[in-house]
Amino acid sequence: MALIVQPTEIEIEKASNYLKQGNLVAFPTETVYGLGADALNEEAVKKIFQYKDRPLNDPVIVHVEKYSQVQDLINLTEKESKFYKHLTQNFWPGPLTIVAKATSKVPDIITAKSGFVGIRSPSHKVAHDLLKVSQLPIAAPSANRFGHVSPTTAQHVFEDLGKYPITILDGGSTVVGIESTVMKLQEINGKIQLTFLRKGAISPENIKESIKNIPEFNDIVEINVVQRVVDLKKKEEEQKAKENENENENQNENQNENENEVSPGLHITHYAPDKETYLILNIDLKQDLKTDSNINPNINLKNYSNINSNYEKKFTFSETVLIDFKSQFLDIKDKFFAYSDLSPNGDVEESSVNLYSLLRWSETFPQTKVVILPEITQFFKNLTKNQKIPSILDALADRMFRASSGKTAFLDLHNYFVCVFSKLENLKEN
Ligand code: TXA
Ligand code: MG
């Protein structure tokens, strides 16, 4: 049975000893809660996979207190090393995981036999204290059941992993709310290649900004972002293949290997809540962000009057949970079974903090059939030059896209239906 404790000095000391004995401790970071083990103790790390029900081909992030601790764990060229240091000086402690060549000291179970290890130094005080007191590198994925929404409170961890003998350090709600940026760093043909494998609070623009006045880096750094185009048809086929018991094992293995080539954690349905979830497409905001405080949804929604002709499924609003953004549907909130808002004032950072909590909340209504979320990038399409898009917007949109597996719906505001189509347009991630 898991135990939730307050992160007092004594409890941190106890948790540190518990880790050293090969046990697991869940702790808050600024992003989400992690399920930690001594990274150099293979048996302990195995428990992470077992408790989370996580496949072994998914590598685990290692957390360190400070830069000096990475020396033992990574094996870099001179250029890589210089740039790694630059990154840590600019972005650590913080939500940037750097994936780089691992030394043989790092267990295979951490790297998923890729030869690369992802490391970050979290900025949360409790995480920091635990790392400092234990002096261990701590392997920690998000502390949720595999495939479920990441935890942003100690209670969330307990809900998913409460039956296991873990200590949960309660540091309240996390302040970023979505997982760290995962970026691979590699020297190829004399250039430093940076590949963004997972979006987070640190964006490619933040990295560019950090090197723009350093010619030594500016000249050799190349940035790639892994783009995913969700082929829903392929997804459906994959789903069918999985359901088919007779499917031969080799084929499934190959499929996993292909996913591995990018990053296993990028699996599209990775952050899915337990209910059918869709993104609402027909929010059509044309007004300037600054002047639209009194938006009336009936004006801003396109009139899809012929919508009833070709949908595949429809749900009534009364069997729907709506997670709103910027009070778009506040006027008609009583039509839905349950209604909440990521940020009534349209604040992106606040939305990131609230997203996972609200996805978990949306699962608590057994009477409902469907959860709908706004397609949030639509709100930021027509910005003027001096309106800055918060750097976490891309990451937030990415998580909402995954929560819905890229599936979209339209709202019929005349009849109060959520309409879901069989022939969906393939959505491109931006
Ligand atoms: O914010 C976070 O990163 C949180 C907190 C606890 O630090 N951790 C977290 O870990 O989100 P996890 O395991 O849930 O997601 C990390 C993802 C993995 O799924 C994997 O895709 C990628 O990061 N990753 C980790 N190590 C990697 C490696 N060596 N090569 C490629 N991808 C890696
Ligand atoms: Mg995770």
Side-chain angles (χ1 to χ4, degrees):
M1 184 79 172
L3 191 64
I4 299 183
V5 300
Q6 291 307 305
T8 58
E9 220 171 290
I10 293 169
E11 290 298 345
I12 298 261
E13 185 76 43
K14 276 205 224 162
S16 159
N17 291 330
Y18 200 52
L19 278 177
K20 286 180 187 166
Q21 289 155 8
N23 300 302
L24 306 193
V25 172
F27 58 95
T29 77
E30 68 279 29
T31 58
V32 299
Y33 276 68
L35 180 62
D38 173 356
L40 302 180
N41 178 343
E42 199 155 352
E43 288 308 309
V45 179
K46 264 190 202 154
K47 289 183 189 165
I48 294 180
F49 286 85
Q50 190 195 333
Y51 294 1
K52 278 190 56 118
D53 202 10
R54 175 175 169 124
L56 285 164
N57 63 7
D58 201 352
V60 187
I61 295 174
V62 176
H63 299 69
V64 295
E65 184 212 344
K66 51 181 189 263
Y67 171 70
S68 59
Q69 277 177 301
V70 305
Q71 309 295 351
D72 271 2
L73 308 173
I74 51 172
N75 182 9
L76 305 185
T77 67
E78 207 183 313
K79 271 185 194 158
E80 286 171 341
S81 194
K82 265 193 178 167
F83 198 67
Y84 199 106
K85 200 162 180 188
H86 164 83
L87 290 171
T88 62
Q89 279 167 350
N90 282 273
F91 300 104
W92 280 11
L96 177 67
T97 298
I98 310 170
V99 174
K101 208 38 121 9
T103 60
S104 56
K105 206 172 168 188
V106 183
D108 278 352
I109 192 164
I110 299 273
T111 64
K113 297 191 177 156
S114 64
F116 284 81
V117 61
I119 307 179
R120 84 179 188 97
S121 181
S123 65
H124 195 288
K125 180 168 185 326
V126 175
H128 182 263
D129 289 351
L130 183 65
L131 287 160
K132 192 174 167 134
V133 170
S134 68
Q135 280 301 301
L136 295 172
I138 300 180
S142 50
N144 51 281
R145 267 186 293 105
F146 182 71
H148 195 215
V149 182
S150 290
T152 55
T153 66
Q155 193 54 39
H156 293 163
V157 179
F158 193 85
E159 282 164 15
D160 277 17
L161 303 169
K163 64 178 174 183
Y164 295 107
I166 60 175
T167 297
I168 305 171
L169 293 169
D170 187 350
S173 290
T174 60
V175 295
V176 175
I178 58 185
E179 306 84 345
S180 65
T181 301
V182 178
M183 189 186 78
K184 191 167 183 173
L185 160 67
Q186 212 177 357
E187 179 180 346
I188 299 172
N189 299 329
K191 300 258 181 195
I192 293 291
Q193 298 277 349
L194 301 179
T195 311
F196 282 78
L197 301 173
R198 181 173 72 183
K199 292 175 176 178
I202 310 289
S203 68
E205 287 65 37
N206 294 145
I207 305 283
K208 281 180 203 158
E209 185 68 20
S210 79
I211 58 173
K212 85 171 183 229
N213 296 321
I214 311 177
E216 181 193 2
F217 295 141
N218 210 3
D219 296 346
I220 60 161
V221 170
E222 290 179 356
I223 297 182
N224 314 299
V225 178
V226 172
Q227 299 284 346
R228 282 175 308 274
V229 177
V230 183
D231 185 334
L232 286 159
K233 192 146 183 287
K234 188 165 160 242
K235 210 176 111 53
E236 254 169 44
E237 279 163 10
E238 280 174 9
Q239 201 69 37
K240 272 189 201 138
K242 268 191 198 146
E243 281 162 16
N244 186 348
E245 301 261 296
N246 299 326
E247 189 68 28
N248 84 50
E249 297 243 309
N250 285 343
Q251 207 172 325
N252 277 337
E253 252 167 50
N254 284 340
Q255 194 178 306
N256 287 340
E257 260 166 40
N258 288 341
E259 277 162 11
N260 256 348
E261 273 168 27
V262 190
S263 182
L266 294 179
H267 194 274
I268 189 65
T269 56
H270 204 71
Y271 301 90
D274 288 344
K275 210 174 286 259
E276 258 189 79
T277 305
Y278 297 90
L279 291 175
I280 315 160
L281 272 187
N282 58 328
I283 301 168
D284 190 24
L285 289 173
K286 294 224 160 60
Q287 298 167 55
D288 187 312
L289 262 183
K290 278 195 179 143
T291 60
D292 64 352
S293 51
N294 292 315
I295 285 168
N296 175 345
N298 296 318
I299 295 170
N300 287 284
L301 288 162
K302 282 180 187 162
N303 183 9
Y304 288 90
S305 52
N306 61 353
I307 203 163
N308 288 330
S309 56
N310 55 355
Y311 59 79
E312 180 188 276
K313 265 196 263 187
K314 67 179 180 186
F315 303 95
T316 63
F317 280 11
S318 60
E319 55 194 6
T320 298
V321 179
L322 171 62
I323 298 177
D324 202 357
F325 176 72
K326 217 176 177 184
S327 313
Q328 293 307 287
F329 299 99
L330 190 60
D331 293 7
I332 51 166
K333 78 177 177 48
D334 295 337
K335 303 281 180 205
F336 298 95
F337 187 89
Y339 171 94
S340 192
D341 198 318
L342 289 164
S343 168
N345 295 322
D347 184 274
V348 173
E349 267 119 20
E350 183 184 21
S351 300
S352 305
V353 168
N354 289 334
L355 177 65
Y356 287 159
S357 240
L358 287 180
L359 287 177
R360 282 180 181 254
W361 164 82
S362 75
E363 293 170 351
T364 60
F365 305 103
Q367 312 88 326
T368 62
K369 295 197 171 137
V370 63
V371 178
I372 51 176
L373 300 165
E375 200 292 288
I376 198 161
T377 62
Q378 294 173 80
F379 293 81
F380 300 89
K381 286 268 153 75
N382 302 310
L383 295 188
T384 58
K385 264 207 172 145
N386 31 11
Q387 283 177 310
K388 260 192 125 177
I389 296 182
S391 69
I392 203 166
L393 175 65
D394 231 13
L396 174 66
D398 170 79
R399 299 312 191 274
M400 289 165 76
F401 184 81
R402 288 157 186 278
S404 60
S405 305
K407 290 177 303 191
T408 54
F410 285 85
L411 299 191
D412 174 350
L413 290 176
H414 301 294
N415 306 301
Y416 303 128
F417 284 130
V418 177
C419 303
V420 177
F421 295 90
S422 53
K423 279 215 173 121
L424 294 170
E425 241 184 281
N426 284 345
L427 268 186
K428 260 197 204 101
E429 195 197 20
N430 53 347

